[in-house]
Every structure is written in structure tokens, then in C-alpha cells.
Amino acid sequence: APGRPALIVHGGVWDIPDGERVAHRHGVAIALGHGRRILERGGSALVAAEAAVVALEAHPAFDAGRGSVLDRDGQPQLDAGMMCGATLLWGAVAGVRSLDHPVRAARLLLDDEAARAAGVEPYGARLLVGEGAERFAAEAGLPHVAPEHLVVERERERFERLVADPDFHPSRAIAGSRPPDAPRGTVGAVALDADGHLAVAISTGGTPCARPGRVGDSPLVGSGFYADGMAALCATGWGEAIATVQLCTRAALRIEAGEGPAEAAEAALRHMRDGVRWPGTAPASGGLIALRADGTAGWAFTTPRMARGGWAAGSEPWVEV
């Protein structure tokens, strides 16, 4: 039976500095507002999740869209994905540099009808990378921007500080033994609409000083995002570890077996922490938000902080960092 509409969003898991918490709360609240209004008007979970992530991509506090961290060459490198639980259709892009809202390209790869209405034929593609993804977006009429438009001063300064540190190595920024102020900043949203349908959207700027071409979990279905008729899930954290254990699918299977979303998220993260023990890396950490078809929500994280918020019909929205 259809459940009451609900929405959960997150703005990344890491040791968010005290000075950045207000901006994170502000951005999460804006994203909740965008998605909530769509659901309150009877809109679909897919549209609501996309709108929430578009708002997070536009807010410079987060490592997604404008505000993304910079790769080893000092350039932004973005990934995004979406999935519809009702149809199991999904779409994703990876390694794009000239899209301020890569999640919109992911939506068009998910939705063939919307893509054709925009004048582009996906030809069955679900994941496009680099130049191919940007060409697809251009043909669909999505606006392109200069990569410099996505760079904020905070991340330029962070990049210069990291590359000047003789003790810093880019692998540390990926594998968990990172500096305390290095973001792990995927953003995402899971939504449930009045028809009982679930959807998920995810977007990221990756990790600081990563090798150009590096792809984490965010555009990989089952790893960084997943939705079906039972639950919608969105992960954030150490991408290689998340992909190794298929974090979202692992938690989804636990929910299908009867566990609550919070318990399933905690168990999946615990499995990743205990199971991924690669030489020279810290224990694998991350976060996960989950929303069940009955409106039950849950989240878990193994980092000091996680920017997150939620809303369900008949209740007031909340935001925590």
C-alpha cells in the first residue's frame, strides 16, 4: 500500500569543521525544501530526489557541483547517479568537468522518454563517462559551464595546502588516512511519493587530489545508490571500499529480509569496516541513508559527523550535522 511521502537527504560524512556546520545545515535545509514541495504537490519520488540533489549541487558548502574538491591537476571531476525503484531503471555519469548539475544528465540516462523529449537518444546507455557524458548532456540541451565556475576559493586553498604538504599523498585522501579537514563529500537524497514509489539521487566531486579519471562508488549502481520496490539507499564515504562490498545492495537485502533501515545501514557499514582492511589504509568508514516503502527511515555513519536531514508528511522537517 502507498505510504506517506517522505524525504531524507545528506551532505556527506567527514569531520565537518565547526566553521562549516552552519553552511551545511543551510544547504541541507534548502534541499529538503525543494524536494518536500514537490512531494506535497503530488510529484514523483524521482523528481523530488533529483530536485533535492540539484539544490545540493548548487550550494557551495558541499563536495558536489559548485564547491567540489579538486583533483591532482587542480580541476573538478564530478560523478552522479539516479535510480527509480518502481522500474529499476537507473542512469549515471562519471568524470565530467563542465556540468554544474551532473545529476540532471543521470536523470536523462534513466528516463529514455525524457531524453528523447530533450532531443537526444540514449541508445540504452545507463552509464556514460567523461567526454561522452558531456556530449550527451550538450545534445540534450543541458547547460555547460567552464570548469572554473565549479571551483570555490575554499577548495582552491585546500588544494594548495595539500599539495604543499610534504607528508601528504593523494592516496591518503581516498583511503581513509586523510587529513582531518579533507572532505568525503558525496551528497544524496532518497524519496518516497504518495503512490508508494521510491527513488534515489546521488552526486559527488570525489576526493581531494585524486588521480584524474578516478571513479568512486557514486555512479555505480548497487554501490553508491540503489532503489527498488522495498527501499531506496544512498551511500557516502570511501568509494573504493563502498564498491568492494556493494554497500547499498548489501543494506537493501537486509531490509528485504526484515531489518529496519537504521539497523541495516549500521550492519552494512560494520561489514565494510571489518572486511576491507587493505595495507596502509585506515578502517573503511562512510555513511548510509535508507528509506523503506512504508515510510520508515534510517541512517548510520562511522565518521565524526554527517550532514543530514529529513521530512515526512504530517511532521516538521529536521536537520542535523
Side-chain angles (χ1 to χ4, degrees), residues 84-180:
C84 174
T87 63
L88 298 186
L89 290 170
W90 60 278
V93 296
V96 298
R97 300 185 185 274
S98 62
L99 299 178
D100 53 356
H101 294 296
V103 74
R104 286 178 169 158
R107 166 70 188 282
L108 291 177
L109 287 166
L110 178 159
D111 190 340
D112 289 355
E113 289 186 9
R116 294 188 186 106
V120 63
E121 173 58 67
Y123 296 112
R126 295 285 171 239
L127 171 61
L128 292 176
V129 303
E131 180 187 357
E134 292 178 341
R135 286 175 57 189
F136 171 80
E139 292 169 12
L142 297 181
H144 277 48
V145 298
E148 293 75 23
H149 170 78
L150 304 174
V151 180
V152 297
E153 187 60 29
R154 178 196 67 240
E155 295 309 324
R156 177 64 65 190
E157 292 176 355
R158 194 192 312 271
F159 171 77
E160 293 174 352
R161 185 169 66 251
L162 290 176
V163 297
D165 183 352
D167 296 326
F168 173 73
H169 189 274
S171 65
R172 293 172 57 202
I174 294 177
S177 51
R178 61 189 67 213

Side-chain angles (χ1 to χ4, degrees), residues 171-227:
S171 65
R172 293 172 57 202
I174 294 177
S177 51
R178 61 189 67 213
D181 71 338
R184 189 171 297 185
T186 305
V187 304
V190 290
L192 171 70
D193 61 32
D195 293 324
H197 296 153
L198 292 152
V200 57
I202 187 170
S203 185
T204 187
T207 58
C209 299
R211 176 177 286 279
R214 178 259 180 185
V215 176
D217 66 288
S218 296
L220 304 181
V221 65
S223 297
F225 67 104
Y226 182 75

Side-chain angles (χ1 to χ4, degrees), residues 10-25 28 61-62 158 179-186 301 303-308 320-321:
H10 79 79
V13 290
W14 56 297
D15 192 5
I16 301 170
D18 289 342
E20 296 187 33
R21 292 179 68 190
V22 170
H24 279 67
R25 290 180 61 89
V28 168
F62 304 104
R158 194 192 312 271
D181 71 338
R184 189 171 297 185
T186 305
F301 55 99
T303 56
R305 288 173 176 164
M306 181 184 196
R308 62 202 185 277
E320 297 179 3
V321 177

